[in-house]
Amino acid sequence: MDVDDTQPAGPDADSPVSGTAPPVTAADMLAWLEETARAVRAGELAAEELVALLGQLRQAATACANASDWTLLAAREEGASLRQLAPVFGKGYVRAPAARLEKLHREVLSSEQFLELLRQRSGV
């Protein structure tokens, strides 16, 4: 199985930015994963519990992807260049953020529209 274990080459992904930090960081997730793996090895988690965890993680991954997309749109609106965004995608060229923006712009034109779309999808 291929796993992308590259880390963003941009600013430190685990340090808060101007007091704003995501609710979970890569370091938080690794610590949780190590503790959960210990619990599995000790026989403290049954398959059913792991399946429930998997469902929760899949939902959280979708939420993180949506938050990432919103932040990408907002960063562009605030003047971030594709060259500034490229290292965060783990690549030194602008194709990755440009392609993501292009895909997002097929549905919405702004971060506010994206947020409204998320609200509509969640029924809020």
Side-chain angles (χ1 to χ4, degrees):
M1 169 175 15
D2 292 331
V3 175
D4 182 6
D5 61 358
T6 58
Q7 293 295 318
D12 183 0
D14 282 336
S15 13
V17 179
S18 302
T20 301
V24 66
T25 65
D28 294 335
M29 188 55 72
L30 180 58
W32 174 86
L33 186 56
E34 289 173 345
E35 180 61 25
T36 303
R38 184 206 55 76
V40 169
R41 284 191 305 272
E44 297 169 6
L45 288 171
E48 298 81 21
E49 293 168 306
L50 290 168
V51 170
L53 280 173
L54 177 59
Q56 291 171 0
L57 287 168
R58 300 283 300 172
Q59 289 176 344
T62 298
C64 284
N66 287 335
S68 175
D69 286 345
W70 177 88
T71 307
L72 173 62
L73 287 164
R76 281 294 283 169
E77 290 166 13
E78 292 301 313
S81 72
L82 291 174
R83 288 190 187 277
Q84 288 174 297
L85 294 165
V88 177
F89 281 74
K91 308 206 181 304
Y93 52 91
V94 299
R95 263 186 288 177
R100 189 68 197 143
L101 282 165
E102 183 179 329
K103 184 175 180 183
L104 288 168
H105 284 155
R106 289 184 201 133
E107 287 189 87
V108 298
L109 296 176
S110 70
S111 61
E112 189 56 39
Q113 285 180 343
F114 187 76
L115 195 54
E116 183 57 36
L117 180 66
L118 292 178
R119 287 183 193 117
Q120 288 172 4
R121 288 180 180 168
S122 69
V124 176

